[in-house]
């Protein structure tokens, strides 16, 4: 085995896809391994019994003008169709229904029009939310402003420093403090909505959430968020194909069995053979990566504990007649069965239904993905029998919630499949089936892990447990920043820049 790649990427969720594409863009010799036969990981589109399902019920952001996915789609002519939605989500509880508009002003006015709404407090709260979100989303729209920094990036931050001042009073504070300040604690509809949004986006309630992270995440409704026609797998495949067009080596159905560090490089032992690389980027959980690594100790920088403070997911996958509802486009619901119970374990579900024109199955059929968060301690610490009982009870509650708001759907479904933490563990190799990233509970510790760090010599992690995490867009951006850090640390030349310079020289002197 004489050839040594610059870098090997393990796992092609969106963190792995983002890092592999960035390596390929910069001309690195990159090889990527994926255990499944399709890309996307927990944000993929899979096929079963003639139907195509989203792995998780969710929306996708990053498709606005100038945002990462839109830039990739335009630069590489990716055959991806993004559909903005209106409303983006319909939020339902026994007490009220709220349609979430992608127009910020209309969204705020809908809250102010609700009975008993403290309109002044709502407007002040969302004014603060916009100021902080505008500042944070600039970093997503210009990922070069995220670590690792170039000198030009640091200068940009210095120039932007006045924009960061509104953040300072809220660092380390729970979102509850902002609700208290603006007199919104007793306005139950908004409180329920924020609890649900925080649970979905940053994995904890509004009472616990780190305020800047929560206020930034709340803006995703207005930031190029909507539906990918045919499923998010279309985007994942488009990125994968672009990687190969740029010279990257992508290997599906070739799961990594061991990462062995010796003689200053990594031996990657896979199902189909051995490969060597100078550096490894793992799109697996810290504990799963640790199980693969031998020959050297691995540091997880406390990430695994934070993952274990997070969640698993239970799923329902339905194939239903196209006429089951009167809207032909794709749409999404957040459903709360009982507002007085925790927004977990089937009491709170997110429902995504495909459009009628997406080729998700036989003519006249649509697919539905339903998901809920589940606390993992009872599952991880249980016996196989108690685990099965725990998951069965959760899925029964999910079905009850679905019947409460969408009566008849389960009865009319041609196909009903269930998913559990065990399902995610089996298919995505996520240890114990943890999903969703690190809960952003209020505290300063979040700001200590902004810079990509090696977890062993030339071994890095990407994905939703690594900053910025939490969504397809965030994990993809994190992947690009880790790739940039690896290129600089290992002094891998940016062959893309060399090629550009060579082409410019040739054009200048009319060399063909």
């Amino acid at each position: 085995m004489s050839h040594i790649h610059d870098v090997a990427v393990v796992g092609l969720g969106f963190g792995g896809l983002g890092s592999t594409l960035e390596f390929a863009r910069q001309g690195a010799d990159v090889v990527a391994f994926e255990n499944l036969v399709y890309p996307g990981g927990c944000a993929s589109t899979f096929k079963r019994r003639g139907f195509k399902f989203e792995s998780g019920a969710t929306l996708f952001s990053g498709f606005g003008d100038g945002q990462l996915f839109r830039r990739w789609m335009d630069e590489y002519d990716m055959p991806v169709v993004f559909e903005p939605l209106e409303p983006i989500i319909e939020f339902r509880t026994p007490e009220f229904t709220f349609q979430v508009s992608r127009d910020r002003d209309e969204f705020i006015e809908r809250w102010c029009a609700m009975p008993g709404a403290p309109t002044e407090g709502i407007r002040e709260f969302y004014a603060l939310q916009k100021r902080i979100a505008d500042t944070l989303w600039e970093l997503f729209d210009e990922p070069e402003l995220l670590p690792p920094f170039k000198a030009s990036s640091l200068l940009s931050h210095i120039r932007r420093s006045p924009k960061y001042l509104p953040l300072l009073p809220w660092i380390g504070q729970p979102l509850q403090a902002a609700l208290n300040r603006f007199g919104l604690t007793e306005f139950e509809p908004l409180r329920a909505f924020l609890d649900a949004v925080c649970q979905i986006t940053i994995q904890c309630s509004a009472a616990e959430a780190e305020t800047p992270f929560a206020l930034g995440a709340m803006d995703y409704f207005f930031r190029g968020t909507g539906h990918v026609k045919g499923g998010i797998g279309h985007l994942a495949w488009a990125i994968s194909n672009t990687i190969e067009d740029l010279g990257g080596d992508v290997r599906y159905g070739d799961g990594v069995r061991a990462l062995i560090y010796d003689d200053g490089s990594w031996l990657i032992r896979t199902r189909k053979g051995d490969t060597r690389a100078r550096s490894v980027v793992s799109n697996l959980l810290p504990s799963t990566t640790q199980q693969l690594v031998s020959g050297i100790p691995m540091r997880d920088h406390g990430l695994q504990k934070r993952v274990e403070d997070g969640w698993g997911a239970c799923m329902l996958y339905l194939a239903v007649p196209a006429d089951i509802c009167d809207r032909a486009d794709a749409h999404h619901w957040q459903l709360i069965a009982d507002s007085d119970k925790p927004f977990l374990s089937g009491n709170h579900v997110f429902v995504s239904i495909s459009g009628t024109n997406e080729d998700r199955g036989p003519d006249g059929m649509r697919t539905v993905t339903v998901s809920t968060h589940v606390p993992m301690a009872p599952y991880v610490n249980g016996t196989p029998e108690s685990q099965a009982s725990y998951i069965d009870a959760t899925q029964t509650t999910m079905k009850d919630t679905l019947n409460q708001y969408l009566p008849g759907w389960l009865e009319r479904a041609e196909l009903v499949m269930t998913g559990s933490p065990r399902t995610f563990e089996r298919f995505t190799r996520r240890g114990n089936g943890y999903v969703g990233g690190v809960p952003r509970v209020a505290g300063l510790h979040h700001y200590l892990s902004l810079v990509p760090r090696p977890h062993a010599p030339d071994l890095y992690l990407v994905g939703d447990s690594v900053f910025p995490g939490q969504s397809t867009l965030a994990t993809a951006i994190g992947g690009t920043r880790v790739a940039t850090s690896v290129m600089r640390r290992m002094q891998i030349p940016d062959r893309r820049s060399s090629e550009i310079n060579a082409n410019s020289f040739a054009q200048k002197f009319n060399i063909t």
Side-chain angles (χ1 to χ4, degrees), residues 42 184 248 261 341 359 377 385 392 404 429 450 480 502 512:
C42 291
L184 299 176
Y261 186 78
K341 294 181 179 179
D359 187 29
E385 293 77 15
D392 286 347
Q404 180 176 333
R429 298 186 65 184
L450 303 186
T480 67
T512 59

Side-chain angles (χ1 to χ4, degrees), residues 102-298:
R102 59 193 173 95
D103 180 276
R104 182 193 300 274
D105 292 337
E106 184 173 340
F107 171 84
I108 295 171
E109 290 309 311
R110 286 180 182 175
W111 281 119
C112 291
M114 293 194 71
T119 56
E120 183 177 351
I122 290 172
R123 296 186 196 282
E124 290 177 346
F125 173 76
Y126 275 103
L128 171 69
Q129 186 270 327
K130 184 178 187 302
R131 286 197 301 273
I132 290 181
D134 284 348
T135 299
L136 296 179
W137 277 81
E138 282 185 3
L139 306 181
F140 272 29
D141 294 344
E142 300 179 58
E144 60 274 11
L145 295 175
L146 292 169
F149 298 121
K150 296 187 296 186
S152 59
S153 300
L154 291 173
L155 289 174
S156 293
H157 282 297
I158 292 171
R159 288 195 298 268
R160 294 165 186 253
S161 57
K163 291 185 177 182
Y164 300 145
L165 293 178
L167 285 167
L168 297 181
W170 300 104
I171 291 176
Q173 297 293 315
L175 186 61
Q176 178 66 52
L179 296 178
N180 293 342
R181 174 173 172 177
F182 297 109
L184 299 176
T185 303
E186 302 304 320
F187 184 42
E188 289 299 333
L190 181 61
R191 177 56 185 267
F193 175 77
L194 294 178
D195 275 338
V197 169
C198 287
Q199 184 64 55
I200 289 289
T201 58
I202 61 173
Q203 321 304 317
C204 60
S205 69
E208 305 168 290
E210 171 70 7
T211 295
F213 282 84
L215 295 180
M218 286 160 52
D219 223 52
Y220 83 97
F221 300 121
F222 320 121
R223 302 279 180 169
T225 294
H227 179 71
V228 176
K229 186 175 180 180
I232 192 63
H234 278 248
L235 176 62
W237 273 117
I239 296 171
S240 176
N241 293 336
T242 299
I243 290 167
E244 294 186 311
D245 291 342
L246 293 171
D249 183 0
V250 181
R251 304 180 186 181
Y252 289 101
D254 195 10
V256 172
R257 294 178 172 175
L259 298 169
I260 303 167
Y261 186 78
D262 74 308
D263 198 25
S265 66
W266 287 93
L267 174 66
I268 299 95
R269 186 149 284 162
T270 77
R271 187 171 68 86
K272 297 181 180 179
D274 293 348
T275 301
R276 274 201 179 271
R278 296 170 58 198
S279 184
V280 169
V281 172
S282 176
N283 191 190
L284 305 173
L285 292 178
S287 61
T288 308
T289 305
Q290 178 70 78
Q291 292 169 9
L292 297 176
V293 170
S294 62
I296 198 165
M298 178 182 152

Side-chain angles (χ1 to χ4, degrees), residues 50-67:
F51 295 96
K52 299 175 185 176
F53 296 94
E54 301 285 42
S55 294
T58 188
L59 290 157
F60 303 100
S61 58
F63 295 90
D65 291 341
Q67 292 185 305

